[in-house]
Amino acid sequence: MSEPKQERAVKTREAILHAAAEVFDEYGYSGASISKIMERAGVTQGGMYFHFKSKKSLAHAVIASQQEFVQFPAGEPGLQRLVDLTFHLARALQTNVLVRASVRLSVEQGEMGLRDDTPYREWVEQLYVHLCAARERGELLPDVDEEEFAKVLVGAYSGTQLYSNISTGREDLMERVAMLWHYLLPGLAPAHVRAKVRVGPQEEGLAA
Amino acid sequence: MSEPKQERAVKTREAILHAAAEVFDEYGYSGASISKIMERAGVTQGGMYFHFKSKKSLAHAVIASQQEFVQFPAGEPGLQRLVDLTFHLARALQTNVLVRASVRLSVEQGEMGLRDDTPYREWVEQLYVHLCAARERGELLPDVDEEEFAKVLVGAYSGTQLYSNISTGREDLMERVAMLWHYLLPGLAPAHVRAKVRVGPQEEGLAA
């Protein structure tokens, strides 16, 4: 295959994934259809079937692309960065339809007969890196197991955003994430470290 | 209406609810149908429509009955009881199809166009009672807000059981709930109280 052809294929795949995320966010899994997604992506049936054979494989790919959909600002690894990531993700859930669709499908995957913990494991891996950096910087309590805490945080965070979504359409998600940290930090970091950690969104112009 | 007629109506409603929970647990919301539920419950169309007009209203009722489906053993209110409840619920999720269906529908309710936080709020209310008892017994740290912690715990617990379900079909749920408490307790209770709290299932013959 020539280089431009490959590039085109990559772009088409990306366009399909984005369109699928939009349609899944709007209609849910059951209400979405391949034809709606083709129309939204502006691709032919041939283009679609070259990349994805079914609605289920599309949903699978949207779930698996969760990490690509969230663009984190650069920053120094460590405890502050770990906390910042959770608020950045909260903002992404409030504002980015692709992230929202991917999380919705991950949570509602029982409805499509899937059981795929890839998105959860990817978050665990990402948070684990920051916990290891925090450990090296002396920011963690001695009895914290970095991998264990990463799993606890991913589970706790998933439910926090779910509850916030059902209660307020994620309007109060920032407050809920801050509350979660209020009760998790004493089990994670010593008092002198906690005193310096900013718990709230870091982006400009946003209130906690 | 005579007394026996009322009693019969209550029993029919209960039978329908239980059958609906079983069918929703097995097929999910989209795959369930009123006729499957009628057959399972052994009720006539008239009996069904006297109580429930649609699949959606049935799902709504199954979600709202979550508290009835979990039978907690008696115990003294307080911090130990709060911890015990979370393990008891974990066991119920592993073994009781009605609880599982209700929780599944609560989590996947986006798929049916619902947004009902009743089951979450009912858990918050129940846990709040135990947190108030714990406060009276001097078991909580001064800066703990009982209602806030109840909300944090319900959110964190929901996600923990969801992640466990997707990863292992809830086989590792007990370990995950224990891990969650390991990191939440230092933000909730002073060291001398934590030292006396048993974190694990209390039922006989069950390993943590």
Side-chain angles (χ1 to χ4, degrees):
Chain A
M1 224 198 273
S2 68
E3 195 57 36
K5 219 170 174 182
Q6 276 189 347
E7 267 175 37
R8 206 157 53 235
V10 168
K11 273 189 186 155
T12 303
R13 191 180 185 279
E14 213 168 85
I16 294 173
L17 263 189
H18 280 231
E22 284 179 15
V23 172
F24 285 132
D25 182 61
E26 202 170 329
Y27 299 95
Y29 180 74
S30 303
S33 69
I34 288 268
S35 60
K36 262 184 209 151
I37 294 166
M38 273 169 48
E39 200 189 319
R40 184 83 55 114
V43 298
T44 61
Q45 202 158 19
M48 173 63 87
Y49 284 94
F50 177 76
H51 293 284
F52 299 101
K53 304 288 180 256
S54 66
K55 186 167 84 166
K56 197 164 169 178
S57 68
L58 257 170
H60 212 293
V62 169
I63 291 176
S65 306
Q66 205 165 108
Q67 296 285 323
E68 290 167 42
F69 292 157
V70 190
Q71 301 297 328
F72 289 114
E76 206 181 338
L79 182 59
Q80 181 63 61
R81 180 98 176 113
L82 179 77
V83 173
D84 287 346
L85 285 183
T86 62
F87 285 99
H88 189 79
L89 177 58
R91 179 63 63 198
L93 280 162
Q94 290 175 329
T95 58
N96 184 333
V97 68
L98 302 176
V99 178
R100 218 155 47 223
S102 184
V103 167
R104 177 176 178 171
L105 289 175
S106 307
V107 165
E108 295 180 5
Q109 56 179 285
E111 200 51 55
M112 56 187 111
L114 271 183
R115 216 166 84 189
D116 175 11
D117 69 350
T118 306
Y120 295 84
R121 280 189 294 103
E122 284 179 350
W123 283 113
V124 168
E125 280 161 31
Q126 178 157 173
L127 301 181
Y128 176 70
V129 169
H130 290 284
L131 285 156
C132 291
R135 169 66 71 203
E136 274 178 34
R137 294 158 60 109
E139 295 174 331
L140 302 188
L141 289 167
D143 71 336
V144 170
D145 178 309
E146 291 89 320
E147 197 188 334
E148 198 177 86
F149 186 83
K151 282 169 83 173
V152 165
L153 182 56
V154 167
Y157 191 94
S158 301
T160 299
Q161 71 79 25
L162 184 66
Y163 186 8
S164 166
N165 187 34
I166 286 170
S167 282
T168 68
R170 295 204 183 92
E171 263 181 40
D172 67 357
L173 183 53
M174 295 292 177
E175 289 82 355
R176 284 183 186 253
V177 172
M179 275 176 6
L180 178 63
W181 277 118
H182 177 78
Y183 294 104
L184 280 179
L185 277 174
L188 181 66
H192 72 276
V193 173
R194 292 201 307 273
K196 286 185 207 150
V197 172
R198 182 190 58 249
V199 175
Q202 59 171 164
E203 296 103 316
E204 62 279 20
L206 296 172
Chain B
M1 226 201 270
S2 69
E3 195 57 37
K5 219 171 173 181
Q6 277 189 346
E7 267 174 38
R8 208 157 51 236
V10 168
K11 273 190 187 153
T12 303
R13 191 179 186 278
E14 215 167 82
I16 295 173
L17 262 190
H18 280 230
E22 284 179 17
V23 172
F24 285 132
D25 181 61
E26 201 170 327
Y27 300 95
Y29 180 74
S30 303
S33 69
I34 287 268
S35 60
K36 262 182 208 153
I37 294 166
M38 273 169 48
E39 199 188 318
R40 184 83 55 114
V43 298
T44 61
Q45 202 157 21
M48 172 63 87
Y49 285 93
F50 178 76
H51 294 284
F52 299 101
K53 305 288 182 255
S54 65
K55 185 167 85 167
K56 196 165 168 175
S57 69
L58 258 170
H60 211 293
V62 170
I63 291 177
S65 306
Q66 203 164 110
Q67 296 284 322
E68 290 167 41
F69 292 156
V70 191
Q71 301 296 327
F72 290 113
E76 206 182 338
L79 183 58
Q80 181 63 61
R81 181 98 176 111
L82 179 77
V83 173
D84 288 347
L85 286 183
T86 61
F87 285 99
H88 189 80
L89 178 59
R91 178 64 61 199
L93 280 162
Q94 289 175 330
T95 59
N96 184 331
V97 67
L98 303 175
V99 178
R100 218 156 44 223
S102 184
V103 167
R104 176 177 178 171
L105 289 175
S106 307
V107 164
E108 295 180 4
Q109 57 181 284
E111 200 50 55
M112 57 187 111
L114 271 182
R115 216 166 84 187
D116 175 12
D117 69 352
T118 306
Y120 296 84
R121 278 188 296 104
E122 282 178 350
W123 284 113
V124 168
E125 280 161 32
Q126 179 159 173
L127 302 181
Y128 176 71
V129 169
H130 290 284
L131 285 157
C132 291
R135 168 68 69 204
E136 273 179 33
R137 295 158 60 109
E139 295 175 331
L140 302 188
L141 289 168
D143 71 336
V144 171
D145 178 308
E146 291 89 320
E147 197 190 334
E148 199 177 85
F149 185 83
K151 283 168 83 173
V152 165
L153 182 56
V154 168
Y157 191 94
S158 301
T160 299
Q161 71 81 24
L162 183 68
Y163 186 8
S164 166
N165 186 35
I166 286 171
S167 283
T168 67
R170 294 202 185 92
E171 263 181 39
D172 67 357
L173 184 53
M174 296 292 178
E175 289 83 356
R176 283 181 187 255
V177 172
M179 274 176 6
L180 178 62
W181 277 118
H182 176 78
Y183 294 103
L184 280 178
L185 277 174
L188 181 66
H192 72 277
V193 173
R194 292 202 307 272
K196 286 186 208 150
V197 172
R198 183 190 57 249
V199 175
Q202 59 171 162
E203 296 103 316
E204 63 279 18
L206 295 172

